[in-house]
Amino acid sequence: MIKNFKILSLLISSLLFLSIVLIGCSSETSKETNASNKNTVTKKGGDIHIALDAQPPTLDPQISTTTATKEIARHVFETLLVLNPKYEVEPMLAESYEKSDDGLTYTFHLRKGVKFHNGKEMTAEDVVASMNRWLVKSTRAANAIGKGQFAEKDPYTVELKIEKPTIGVLDVIASTNQFAAIMPKEIIDNAPKDGITEIVGTGPFKLVEWKPDQYIKLTKYDDYKPVDAPSNGLAGKKEVFVDHLIFDVVTDSSTRLAGITTGQYQIAYQISYDNYDQINSSQDIKPSLNLYGGVAFVFNKKQGPFTNQKLRQAVNTGINNEDVLMGALGNKKFYRLDNGLMYKEQAKWYTDAGKEFYNQHDKEKAKELLKEAGYNGEEVRILATRDYEYIYNTAVVMKQQLEAIGMKVKIDVVDWATLTTKRNDPSAWDAFITGFSPVSIPTQTLPLDPNYAGWPVDAKLQQLTEEIRTASSDKEAMAKWDELQAYNWKEYMAYINIGDFLTFSAYRDKEIKGNGYFEGIILWNTSLTK
């Protein structure tokens, strides 16, 4: 009898334990996948509010190089390939890929069962339409790949055929800048010239509402099909734990600061550098410093005074790069002096060629170059914006430094969306300031592209670019890139890379977890903690 009672007690205890486990499994939680948090649970549901510092001019990533577009669009659209944080190519919408022995054909085998936000399954016809449009719309793609064409081989296989073997084709397809978003064929076919109006991708979030100059609201896409691989930056598994991402357009930095401080936002993008110590000492908020890229001063080489190469050289010779960066960013934590047009983190392509012509701050030599250029006091117009604080601050310091060598300067301040439109009009400006984020290979470098604003139409520049693209090996391509970078600094001066800088954002670390960064914020795999 006692033996039977013990057995009955054990059975009851087992059933009770099982019921507790089942109750726990039915709740809105799941185990955190991060190895360091195996014993924590991830809360599901809720909304993440992000204070974005600029209104995106479009959500069509194939036609726009703007950061605001990229930050949002990467959560909605996906690409055949992506880059991991080591700048290595990994598959995303492609399940696998291969290159022919002659280097002229690339074959992509597509994942099956991937659905667009409108419920349609993604097939080869959608990929072909999207990629061929990207080859036309993206100046980066055209400059890096040259002439090429995608074609359907079967419903789940596409081929890219190019005219000659080209360095870095896969890297370009995986690039995060003006990226090769895959969209439904019918949307591509009906897209206006100024960008798609139907925002439909395959990503983990879909667009539900966009109120210009107010907010952009994304919602969890329930039919999202993630990659079965460990999450690694832009690569691997993407899980959605929240209901919505709400990107509030907050162009005033003090308002973004107030919002992150009071808890109105969980993330605030581009906090004023002046507020770093305040954020860093907070118990509720953490700073997030990440390499953005280079602060650039781009010359208009089609019209105006800077069509004169000597005048461009005078500007580069006369400025003190560190003073400009300190004036723009206010703290050495946020910048580094470096003349590399590719970045130190990109070991495969980094070079300091031409460094003797970087950060010269030689005013007397600059004045001599002004005389050689025949400069006669013409007004130079610098196009800038207050939407990005570092751009406006850079313009102010550059004005001071150019006036110190005898130039007459005017700053034309507009909003960011207007700047991205106005810079395409060569009669509207003489120089503009922007930030260039990393690219996968040198031939993607926008300010060296003859079709990009600034118009560096130069025979030697284009010859070297073509020789990089068609090099027989990475070693040969690197030698040509050394030569091109040195040529830009010593003679041509398409633009000045003033130096590299970090973005400063902030997040409420007691309210969210799992947020990441790689050439922009990553909010899949991110959850609220309360």
Side-chain angles (χ1 to χ4, degrees):
M1 187 77 174
I2 294 174
K3 181 178 180 181
N4 290 339
F5 178 78
K6 288 182 177 180
I7 292 173
L8 181 61
S9 298
L10 182 60
L11 180 60
I12 292 170
S13 299
S14 299
L15 289 171
L16 179 60
F17 173 78
L18 180 61
S19 67
I20 292 171
V21 170
L22 290 174
I23 290 169
C25 289
S26 67
S27 66
E28 283 296 294
T29 60
S30 66
K31 288 291 181 182
E32 176 68 36
T33 57
N34 190 307
S36 64
N37 294 304
K38 285 184 177 179
N39 297 320
T40 66
V41 292
T42 298
K43 180 180 180 292
K44 288 187 176 180
D47 300 342
I48 295 179
H49 288 262
I50 307 101
L52 199 65
D53 55 336
Q55 166 76 20
T58 177
L59 289 183
D60 184 348
Q62 289 197 5
I63 70 168
S64 178
T65 63
T66 63
T67 299
T69 295
K70 177 178 70 173
E71 296 288 355
I72 299 169
R74 59 171 36 191
H75 295 87
V76 176
F77 296 103
E78 294 181 303
T79 52
L80 289 174
L81 309 173
V82 292
L83 296 173
N84 67 29
K86 293 182 179 180
Y87 288 88
E88 299 167 334
V89 174
E90 294 193 29
M92 181 50 67
L93 291 177
E95 187 173 65
S96 62
Y97 52 89
E98 61 257 4
K99 181 174 71 170
S100 63
D101 292 339
D102 63 6
L104 299 178
T105 303
Y106 292 79
T107 304
F108 301 89
H109 303 282
L110 307 180
R111 291 166 53 207
K112 297 179 180 179
V114 174
K115 291 184 178 181
F116 289 107
H117 300 153
N118 61 7
K120 172 190 173 183
E121 184 185 10
M122 179 198 73
T123 62
E125 68 171 7
D126 304 300
V127 174
V128 168
S130 298
M131 296 305 293
N132 283 335
R133 177 180 185 258
W134 174 71
L135 286 175
V136 173
K137 294 291 185 182
S138 171
T139 52
R140 297 176 188 271
N143 200 34
I145 294 175
K147 292 182 179 179
Q149 190 75 17
F150 281 82
E152 178 179 346
K153 189 174 180 181
D154 64 50
Y156 296 101
T157 309
V158 299
E159 287 183 342
L160 166 64
K161 290 187 178 294
I162 57 179
E163 290 185 329
K164 59 185 77 173
T166 302
I167 289 286
V169 170
L170 298 175
D171 301 85
V172 179
I173 292 172
S175 173
T176 67
N177 298 286
Q178 203 172 356
F179 65 84
I182 303 301
M183 312 171 193
K185 180 180 184 297
E186 58 272 20
I187 290 179
I188 296 292
D189 291 344
N190 297 313
K193 288 184 179 180
D194 57 352
I196 59 169
T197 54
E198 296 178 79
I199 310 300
V200 178
T202 61
F205 292 91
K206 62 181 181 179
L207 177 70
V208 289
E209 189 176 13
W210 183 0
K211 287 196 173 183
D213 298 315
Q214 295 184 48
Y215 62 83
I216 296 169
K217 185 176 183 180
L218 309 182
T219 190
K220 175 183 178 181
Y221 179 42
D222 291 328
D223 290 331
Y224 178 70
K225 187 175 182 180
V227 170
D228 186 16
S231 180
N232 187 21
L234 297 177
K237 189 174 185 180
K238 302 175 185 177
E239 291 186 88
V240 177
F241 298 117
V242 297
D243 297 323
H244 302 101
L245 300 179
I246 302 170
F247 293 87
D248 292 296
V249 179
V250 187
T251 58
D252 180 68
S253 61
S254 61
T255 305
R256 293 196 298 277
L257 175 66
I260 191 72
T261 302
T262 61
Q264 181 180 359
Y265 310 116
Q266 282 77 44
I267 299 173
Y269 205 69
Q270 294 283 14
I271 297 294
S272 171
Y273 294 101
D274 294 338
N275 300 118
Y276 178 79
D277 290 338
Q278 176 185 345
I279 295 294
N280 196 39
S281 62
S282 171
Q283 294 183 349
D284 300 316
I285 312 169
K286 282 192 175 180
S288 179
L289 297 177
N290 299 282
L291 174 69
Y292 181 92
V295 182
F297 190 80
V298 181
F299 297 103
N300 182 346
K301 295 164 290 296
K302 182 178 280 190
Q303 290 185 30
F306 287 130
T307 55
N308 188 314
Q309 184 171 289
K310 288 286 185 182
L311 194 60
R312 303 197 298 269
Q313 291 174 1
V315 173
N316 181 57
T317 301
I319 65 171
N320 184 320
N321 297 53
E322 181 151 25
D323 284 354
V324 176
L325 292 169
M326 179 61 80
L329 303 168
N331 191 316
K332 289 188 176 183
K333 291 179 182 290
F334 308 133
Y335 69 84
R336 66 188 182 199
L337 290 169
D338 197 330
N339 79 303
L341 306 184
M342 299 290 280
Y343 302 99
K344 288 181 177 178
E345 290 74 10
Q346 302 167 294
K348 180 179 177 180
W349 293 110
Y350 176 76
T351 176
D352 64 359
K355 64 181 179 181
E356 63 270 31
F357 299 97
Y358 173 74
N359 195 29
Q360 299 173 69
H361 50 88
D362 188 335
K363 292 181 181 179
E364 295 309 311
K365 184 178 177 182
K367 291 176 182 178
E368 290 176 10
L369 286 167
L370 286 182
K371 289 180 181 179
E372 291 178 28
Y375 178 72
N376 197 29
E378 301 94 332
E379 184 175 75
V380 170
R381 299 161 298 168
I382 298 177
L383 189 58
T385 182
R386 288 183 181 270
D387 289 355
Y388 292 98
E389 185 180 12
Y390 77 91
I391 290 180
Y392 178 74
N393 291 345
T394 299
V396 171
V397 182
M398 285 294 292
K399 181 177 186 293
Q400 294 169 351
Q401 296 217 0
L402 297 190
E403 288 175 342
I405 64 172
M407 297 183 71
K408 184 178 180 181
V409 181
K410 175 186 176 183
I411 302 175
D412 181 11
V413 182
V414 296
D415 63 81
W416 177 244
T418 300
L419 187 151
T420 62
T421 300
K422 197 170 184 177
R423 70 186 179 191
N424 294 318
D425 178 2
S427 67
W429 58 279
D430 300 310
F432 76 89
I433 295 161
T434 191
F436 288 116
S437 55
V439 294
S440 304
I441 58 175
T443 52
Q444 288 181 287
T445 307
L446 273 180
L448 299 178
D449 185 326
N451 298 309
Y452 182 71
W455 305 282
V457 180
D458 177 76
K460 185 172 181 178
L461 205 64
Q462 290 173 254
Q463 178 188 342
L464 288 169
T465 299
E466 183 65 15
E467 288 175 347
I468 294 168
R469 183 188 296 125
T470 58
S472 60
S473 66
D474 286 349
K475 183 178 180 180
E476 181 184 329
M478 186 64 206
K480 293 298 180 181
W481 173 235
D482 265 327
E483 187 178 348
L484 191 157
Q485 181 171 296
Y487 173 63
N488 182 68
W489 282 113
K490 182 179 180 180
E491 298 179 52
Y492 186 67
M493 264 290 106
Y495 74 112
I496 302 173
N497 183 58
I498 299 172
D500 303 340
F501 75 108
L502 306 180
T503 61
F504 170 32
S505 300
Y507 66 100
R508 297 185 67 84
D509 68 313
K510 293 181 181 179
E511 295 182 22
I512 62 170
K513 64 178 181 179
N515 49 304
Y517 189 97
F518 177 68
E519 297 191 8
I521 54 178
I522 298 173
L523 295 175
W524 52 84
N525 302 333
T526 304
S527 64
L528 293 163
T529 58
K530 60 180 181 179

